[in-house]
Amino acid sequence: MNRISEISRQNIFDFIQVEEIFWSGKMDEIEFLSRIFDLSQMPSTDSRFEDCGGDIWQHRINNYDWEDNWIYYDGRFNLLRCDDSVFLQFLCEMLHPLIRRDTSEVSKLQQIFNDILKNDGFEIVVKTKISGKPIFAARNILTKNAAIEKSNKEITERLNAEYVSSQINLMESSVDSAPYMSIGIAKELIETCCKKILTERKIEPDKKWNLLTLVKETNKILELTPKDIPDEKRASMTIKTILGSLSAVVHGICELRNDYGSGHGKDHKFVGLGSRHAKLAAGAASTLGIFLLETHDIR
């Protein structure tokens, strides 16, 4: 059963038409639709042609006697009532850099799509980047993601690295759709934070260090047991306990990565962990990354 209502879909199409935004952008309509549909398997409404592709060519290129917005109301595509996945793919393709090169127009469309889709529990986000250009994907709105997103925003702002930003976007967007990938990226995120800190402190990380050693060396250089706090002995023991727990988290992420993450080849019997495990890995990675970076700033 579809979750995106016909009302929401119509509102999106109405907005596009009012703003005079052409759905296929810079791409030929047949080429655009072929990214989503097999036009050769769809019937023609013109007896002179065998399939939908020939139909579109005749009436949009040769004669040009169909209106620009014909796609929204063509029963073969049924965009007002088709599966949610097809409808969302259609919207994501509209934002693709091959389709639309005006970044302000892309931002406008993404915002209006999300303003309408949130009522039905979906949003469109950046999944990854190619040549610096965003590639979009749809996902369920994750109410539990507020803390993770806040931490990830801080990490992105502090590191100011396009790679880290794209990894965070990918980690967030794959929590539900591909948990094994999110787990793998969580480990890589901690590695990136540690290497950034060490590099800024003029220390070249050893390529042979595993993640646990990398975090240990980062903790050492950051002097994570403060010497200027009252009752040093008690505080030192408490902080060491916390750091031990953080190390356990890192170790856990490593094991998740090795057994269930995206970093190692899997055989045909592989069954990945669920989204709740990916949320744990993503949240732990963000929390640890923020802790190390804040300590780095203070020191």
Side-chain angles (χ1 to χ4, degrees):
M1 181 178 178
N2 286 332
R3 290 167 52 191
I4 304 175
S5 70
E6 188 172 334
I7 294 174
S8 294
R9 299 178 189 217
Q10 187 65 64
N11 285 341
I12 288 175
F13 294 153
D14 288 346
F15 170 83
I16 294 171
Q17 292 176 77
V18 168
E19 293 293 318
E20 297 183 343
I21 297 174
F22 191 52
W23 53 276
S24 69
K26 299 292 184 180
M27 186 171 286
D28 174 87
E29 293 177 27
I30 296 176
E31 187 178 0
F32 176 95
L33 293 172
S34 294
R35 296 167 67 91
I36 309 170
F37 305 96
D38 184 354
L39 300 182
S40 66
Q41 298 301 312
M42 302 177 75
S44 171
T45 57
D46 190 321
S47 60
R48 295 171 292 177
F49 301 94
E50 295 182 354
D51 57 38
C52 185
D55 202 7
I56 297 171
W57 176 86
Q58 174 64 25
H59 296 282
R60 288 295 295 164
I61 297 175
N62 194 33
N63 283 351
Y64 203 71
D65 54 5
W66 284 356
E67 294 184 359
D68 290 343
N69 298 321
W70 67 272
I71 186 63
Y72 305 138
Y73 312 106
D74 191 302
R76 292 168 295 186
F77 301 96
N78 198 24
L79 290 176
L80 289 175
R81 302 177 186 85
C82 65
D83 288 345
D84 286 340
S85 59
V86 175
F87 179 75
L88 291 169
Q89 186 181 357
F90 183 87
L91 298 184
C92 289
E93 291 295 342
M94 287 184 62
L95 303 178
H96 196 283
L98 290 177
I99 312 298
R100 210 163 302 281
R101 300 169 189 171
D102 186 337
T103 55
S104 62
E105 190 171 76
V106 170
S107 297
K108 180 195 293 186
L109 281 173
Q110 183 190 13
Q111 181 177 348
I112 194 62
F113 290 170
N114 286 339
D115 284 346
I116 296 174
L117 290 173
K118 68 182 180 182
N119 298 314
D120 301 301
F122 288 99
E123 62 182 346
I124 291 176
V125 298
V126 176
K127 180 179 181 180
T128 187
K129 289 187 177 182
I130 298 178
S131 299
K133 301 297 183 181
I135 305 298
F136 295 88
R139 71 176 182 186
N140 294 312
I141 292 178
L142 310 173
T143 56
K144 50 72 198 162
N145 253 8
I148 292 178
E149 289 175 353
K150 182 177 183 296
S151 295
N152 287 345
K153 182 180 179 182
E154 291 183 46
I155 290 174
T156 302
E157 290 174 348
R158 289 173 184 274
L159 295 185
N160 192 29
E162 184 175 313
Y163 168 78
V164 175
S165 179
S166 64
Q167 291 297 89
I168 287 172
N169 288 329
L170 187 55
M171 182 174 71
E172 287 181 346
S173 63
S174 59
V175 161
D176 282 327
S177 60
Y180 67 90
M181 183 181 295
S182 186
I183 290 169
I185 296 171
K187 183 242 185 185
E188 293 170 8
L189 180 61
I190 295 176
E191 286 181 337
T192 302
C193 290
C194 289
K195 290 178 180 178
K196 174 72 173 178
I197 291 169
L198 292 173
T199 300
E200 288 190 356
R201 289 172 174 265
K202 311 301 182 184
I203 297 174
E204 184 66 28
D206 192 323
K207 295 180 179 179
K208 296 180 181 179
W209 289 349
N210 60 22
L211 180 59
L212 291 174
T213 303
L214 187 61
V215 173
K216 181 178 179 180
E217 292 298 321
T218 304
N219 288 345
K220 184 188 300 183
I221 197 64
L222 289 177
E223 298 179 353
L224 283 171
T225 302
K227 298 178 180 179
D228 58 350
I229 55 178
D231 198 359
E232 181 181 349
K233 183 176 181 180
R234 183 189 306 171
S236 296
M237 291 302 297
T238 301
I239 292 173
K240 287 178 180 178
T241 300
I242 294 173
L243 293 178
S245 299
L246 287 172
S247 296
V249 170
V250 176
H251 181 66
I253 290 177
C254 284
E255 290 190 338
L256 287 175
R257 160 78 166 190
N258 293 337
D259 294 337
Y260 300 100
S262 59
H264 299 271
K266 302 295 184 292
D267 61 27
H268 67 285
K269 298 180 181 179
F270 169 66
V271 178
L273 293 176
S275 61
R276 69 183 188 280
H277 302 98
K279 294 169 191 173
L280 173 63
S286 298
T287 299
L288 180 56
I290 285 296
F291 178 76
L292 294 175
L293 289 167
E294 286 185 343
T295 305
H296 172 54
D297 287 346
I298 291 171
R299 294 284 182 269

